[in-house]
Amino acid sequence: MHVVLWTTMKPSHVLMLIMITELVSIIPQVTPSASDCVCDLTNTEQPFPHNKLQTVENRASKCTKIITPQQSVELESLLLGLDRRLPQLEADLAVLEKEDDGDLYGTVSLQVIEHERAEIQQLINKLNSTTLSYQRLNRDTTQEVKELKDEMGALERFDTMQVVREKEVNKRLRRDLDQCQKGPPPTVPPPEPASGNCPHGHLQNVTGPNTYSATEYGASYPYGSWGRDPKPAAGKESWFWMVPLTSSNVFSNFVRLYSSLSSLVVGVSIPGNIIIHSSNPTTNTIQGPNVVMYEDALYYNCYNRDAVCCFNITTKTVTSVAMPKGTGFNSKFNFCHLEACYGYTDLDLATDESGVWVIYSTSDNLGNLILSEVIPGLPPKLGRTWNTSAHKRAVTNTFMACGVLYATRYLTKEREEIFYSFDTVTGRERYDVGIELKKMSTNIQSLNYSPVDHMLYAYSDSMIVSYKVHFV
Ligand SMILES: *[C@@H]1O[C@H](CO)[C@@H](O)[C@H](O)[C@H]1NC(C)=O
Ligand SMILES: *[C@@H]1O[C@H](CO)[C@@H](O)[C@H](O)[C@H]1NC(C)=O
Ligand SMILES: *[C@@H]1O[C@H](CO)[C@@H](O)[C@H](O)[C@H]1NC(C)=O
Ligand SMILES: *[C@@H]1O[C@H](CO)[C@@H](O)[C@H](O)[C@H]1NC(C)=O
């Protein structure tokens, strides 16, 4: 008897028959007797290569995976950084040319610019190596796509048997291939308003000053900070805090608490100073002005360390969390404008609706801003981290609102501008925020947002100033 297989057989049947033939072939051959019925299978087609199809699928999906959106964001942010730094350098050079009268100031500025130029060179080198690795990736991908296409062509010949009938599988494969061929997604869409993660929308404007006052220390301490605890202890809902840097404009060893804004303005502190240590400075006391209070604890840059300290007001004990390796401290990556840097502003602590944050920089990230969550606890920990393309030395201060990082720059003695934002939800950066702050004094040493009353609290040349933040 001679059976010819139908060519429209399902792949599973083909497989089964192949298995049967194999099975038959290993059964010891017995000479057929006259009553035996011998079944001689002849397949006019080759068996369908399922393994091959599986391999092609795997390769296609691997190909899709190696080009991640993360990589294209990285390239985008490098370009954006360069795009911003070059005009900055040009503007700085123009200022220098105007003021170059050969005196010390000119020399200092020249050093700043030389530094900036060197860093831009580093940025270009990084971009170059990124681009090279992209070209490599592209080459590899092209080759991969070509091979996959050939494989697919070979597999399609089996369509005479209609074994590749499962349309979904085919479609999925085609989609994978398409994605793979297109390579990295095209450039990031044009900037949209920063949204973050907030019910009250994105930051639209800042008005004020609302409060503008001297403190009980008069003009003694130009560096410091003040504000409100967004998560105060029960009974302390209307309290304010202040930390003047009482030693060398760099160090402090206490936080001063006030039961209301008017108490602060008239200089009456009922609880008085809450002392971290009797010496100033010493291990675990405060270094730098950008400190915040959260959940009845003070968060700040620990003295002489690349670490965030947390001083518990109730227990009067300090816990700390080390910053990532390479984090600048002791005035390595400060907030600056062309004429000056603000000393010991390496770590900027911030609060918003979601908690505590630290803004800093590392050599690895070429001195650009890095944002990390600070997760309260015993000890506190660092949470998620984001790299940005904004250069820390081109920024005068930062604050967080609704999960969006904002940075300011110096415009004139009278005006400061919120020019930059980084949205932690979308990863999008903007350099065109364009919201101006009216200053009462030249410098802002610290700036922080309070989610309780939607106010910005600034410490400006020993004066306390507040602004109202408007959202849409
Ligand atoms: C980019 O890198 C390649 C290889 O290291 C080098 O040959 C080339 O000169 C670099 N280009 C620039 C503009 O730095
Ligand atoms: C922001 O507030 C200032 C001061 O009140 C006002 O002049 C300006 O028009 C406002 N801008 C926007 C975009 O609302
Ligand atoms: C401060 O200490 C108190 C008492 O041990 C504790 O309940 C509270 O959680 C601590 N606060 C922080 C922010 O660690
Ligand atoms: C930030 O950039 C550094 C240096 O390029 C890199 O090592 C690190 O993984 C990046 N971190 C994140 C969260 O992307």
Side-chain angles (χ1 to χ4, degrees), residues 204-207:
Q204 185 215 20
N205 209 353
V206 175
T207 55

Side-chain angles (χ1 to χ4, degrees), residues 92-123:
D92 290 353
L93 275 174
V95 172
L96 182 65
E97 271 162 17
K98 254 188 270 156
E99 293 181 359
D100 185 18
D101 48 5
D103 67 3
L104 182 66
Y105 175 67
T107 318
V108 171
S109 304
L110 198 60
Q111 279 169 2
V112 169
I113 284 169
E114 172 49 28
H115 210 95
E116 208 164 298
R117 194 205 54 76
E119 277 167 353
I120 287 176
Q121 186 58 51
Q122 267 181 296
L123 203 58

Side-chain angles (χ1 to χ4, degrees), residues 184-215:
T187 48
V188 177
E192 71 235 29
S195 61
N197 204 1
C198 230
H200 42 269
H202 70 266
L203 191 150
Q204 185 215 20
N205 209 353
V206 175
T207 55
N210 287 29
T211 306
Y212 169 58
S213 173
T215 72

Side-chain angles (χ1 to χ4, degrees), residues 121 124-125 128-129 132:
Q121 186 58 51
I124 289 173
N125 292 347
N128 187 22
S129 64
L132 283 178

Side-chain angles (χ1 to χ4, degrees), residues 71-110:
Q71 284 169 313
S72 86
V73 166
E74 183 188 317
L75 189 63
E76 195 68 19
S77 97
L78 277 172
L79 281 171
L80 200 55
L82 201 57
D83 194 38
R84 295 295 154 169
R85 296 277 284 281
L86 288 174
Q88 250 164 35
L89 182 62
E90 255 173 50
D92 290 353
L93 275 174
V95 172
L96 182 65
E97 271 162 17
K98 254 188 270 156
E99 293 181 359
D100 185 18
D101 48 5
D103 67 3
L104 182 66
Y105 175 67
T107 318
V108 171
S109 304
L110 198 60

Side-chain angles (χ1 to χ4, degrees), residues 194-204 228-232 292-295 349-357 371 373-374 376 384 399-406 422-425 448-457 468-472:
S195 61
N197 204 1
C198 230
H200 42 269
H202 70 266
L203 191 150
Q204 185 215 20
R228 284 180 80 162
D229 183 341
K231 280 261 181 79
V292 295
M293 267 195 77
Y294 190 80
E295 284 179 338
L349 278 300
T351 53
D352 75 351
E353 285 75 1
S354 53
V356 185
W357 304 83
L371 171 69
E373 286 175 320
V374 178
R384 293 175 300 167
F399 64 91
M400 289 293 296
C402 292
V404 177
L405 170 70
Y406 293 93
F422 177 88
D423 189 326
T424 58
V425 175
N448 189 45
Y449 166 75
S450 160
V452 179
D453 48 15
H454 295 177
M455 299 288 280
L456 280 179
Y457 290 99
K468 182 83 192 160
V469 179
H470 304 274
F471 295 90
V472 284

